[in-house]
Amino acid sequence: MHDAKTLARLSGATPPACDALACQLGRPDRVAAAWIEGNPLQPGWLASLDAPAPRLLCWSGSLADEPFATHPANWMRPGRAALDALVHEAAPALEAQARTLCLRPHHRHVLSDAQGCLRFLTDHAGLPVQVALSPADMITPDMLRDLPEHLERLFTSLGPRAAVVLLQDLGPAVDDDLLTPVPLGQGVLPAKLVRDLIRQHVPAETPLVLQPQDLAAQTAWLQG
């Protein structure tokens, strides 16, 4: 996942209408997803269909004023209703442009766990909407003591259904409920288990998306 403005500056191209691009390693012309930053459930959020990718990737969103503040309504009817409204409003334009909206879960957002993601996909079957698997975003500090079990549950449930898999490691907590995302190999994720779970549950054609830092070390971590 590379910063879109940096890629444009290096290539001499016009900056694309997104914040980051997930490009195939060694093939920057092959783009798996365009990342749109911000909270899609807050007024003023916009995703441009001019982004150079068939898949627009964004958070599933929060009803809180701050992007990662806790808001209990996210996991109740108001949160799902707001996300459902966003999807149904965006669907006609997405379909007309042959694009999909891929939602990235987070444990503080509307889509926060595997079962919620699967219910969402079932409820919106036939619409141009997908879900990403992002284990580091779905793990809380109190889950670390049973981390292998939580990872197995996430990959078993969402691995076969996810449109992309966003791979980050888990660094120290920045507060009581948020861990720091770091590149693979710089945190506490068990490498062999993650590799095994990817091989067992993630289709070979599903893109694996890494942070742009230390790519050689991260790919070595993935390859074992």
Side-chain angles (χ1 to χ4, degrees), residues 22-97:
C23 305
Q24 183 175 326
L25 190 63
R27 290 294 305 270
D29 57 316
R30 294 189 177 181
V31 182
W35 170 249
I36 314 295
E37 191 57 80
N39 183 355
L41 301 186
Q42 288 295 322
W45 184 85
L46 293 173
S48 174
L49 294 176
D50 292 330
R55 179 181 293 114
L56 305 181
L57 180 64
C58 67
W59 295 112
S60 66
S62 172
L63 298 180
D65 292 334
E66 297 296 326
F68 297 100
T70 300
H71 198 303
N74 285 340
W75 312 305
M76 302 167 67
R77 189 179 302 248
R80 262 300 300 267
L83 184 56
D84 291 349
L86 171 72
V87 169
H88 285 283
E89 181 180 353
L94 291 167
E95 290 171 340
Q97 296 292 325

Side-chain angles (χ1 to χ4, degrees), residues 139 143-156 170 188-190 193-194 197:
I139 299 292
M143 296 166 69
L144 291 178
R145 56 181 173 267
D146 299 310
L147 182 58
E149 290 82 357
H150 290 294
L151 289 172
E152 288 179 10
R153 188 174 300 114
L154 287 171
F155 275 95
T156 301
L170 297 167
V188 299
L189 284 186
L193 176 60
V194 172
L197 291 171

Side-chain angles (χ1 to χ4, degrees), residues 58-62 67-70 74-75 103-113 117 131-132 134-140 168 177-179 181:
C58 67
W59 295 112
S60 66
S62 172
F68 297 100
T70 300
N74 285 340
W75 312 305
L103 300 172
R104 177 179 179 177
H106 189 279
H107 63 87
R108 286 188 172 179
H109 287 177
V110 173
L111 297 185
S112 59
D113 58 20
C117 290
V131 170
S134 186
D137 294 317
M138 303 170 78
I139 299 292
T140 63
Q168 298 173 294
D177 197 37
L178 281 175
L179 294 162

Side-chain angles (χ1 to χ4, degrees), residues 110-125:
V110 173
L111 297 185
S112 59
D113 58 20
Q115 291 308 308
C117 290
L118 292 176
R119 284 195 301 272
F120 181 84
L121 289 173
T122 298
D123 292 344
H124 297 83

